[in-house]
Amino acid sequence: QVQLVESGGGLAQPGGSLTLSCQASGTTVDANVMAWFRESPGQLRDLVARISKAGVIKYGDSAEGRFTISMGEVQNSIRLQMTNLKPEDTDVYKCKAEIPARPEDTYWRDYWGPGIQVNVSS
């Protein structure tokens, strides 16, 4: 059973930094893509950043120029370095992993973490 565990959220001051981490366990198959989304009650999930197994990166508008996504040292782990944080970055951040059942499969399943709160306030 694949499970995602997020860590690193909390409270930061405007202009400060936080680093979020996400680790997927329960499989030896590499994720095709891992990503961070943010969501607020009643709102659609917004892409923050995504990174593919090949290292292709895409940022959402809110993250461009301030956040950096990278692969972790452990299989199926990623980090999101968040700098110059703003109060509007306050949200629940959720990690997603697109993982096939077998390496040769061309289809995959989406797995989500429970979410982690980020609060930016003075």
Side-chain angles (χ1 to χ4, degrees):
Q1 181 74 9
V2 175
Q3 290 186 318
L4 273 61
V5 176
E6 301 130 330
S7 62
L11 177 64
Q13 292 190 337
S17 302
L18 284 174
T19 297
L20 304 184
S21 298
C22 174
Q23 169 76 59
S25 62
T27 180
T28 59
V29 179
D30 287 338
N32 292 333
V33 172
M34 293 190 72
W36 285 99
F37 285 78
R38 56 184 291 179
E39 66 179 21
S40 298
Q43 302 291 325
L44 294 175
R45 284 181 187 146
D46 282 336
L47 174 70
V48 177
R50 70 193 297 266
I51 184 168
S52 74
K53 184 168 58 175
V56 178
I57 291 172
K58 176 181 173 65
Y59 292 103
D61 290 342
S62 66
E64 194 73 53
R66 298 187 299 125
F67 297 175
T68 302
I69 190 170
S70 60
M71 293 181 180
E73 294 80 15
V74 179
Q75 183 190 29
N76 292 341
S77 67
I78 56 172
R79 281 190 303 269
L80 182 70
Q81 294 174 286
M82 309 167 71
T83 63
N84 191 21
L85 284 163
K86 304 174 182 180
E88 51 263 42
D89 293 320
T90 295
D91 228 331
V92 174
Y93 287 72
K94 287 196 166 188
C95 181
K96 173 188 171 184
E98 298 174 5
I99 305 177
R102 301 173 300 176
E104 63 270 25
D105 287 344
T106 57
Y107 51 90
W108 63 86
R109 179 177 170 180
D110 290 346
Y111 297 91
W112 291 90
I116 193 164
Q117 183 71 45
V118 169
N119 289 315
V120 184
S121 173
S122 54

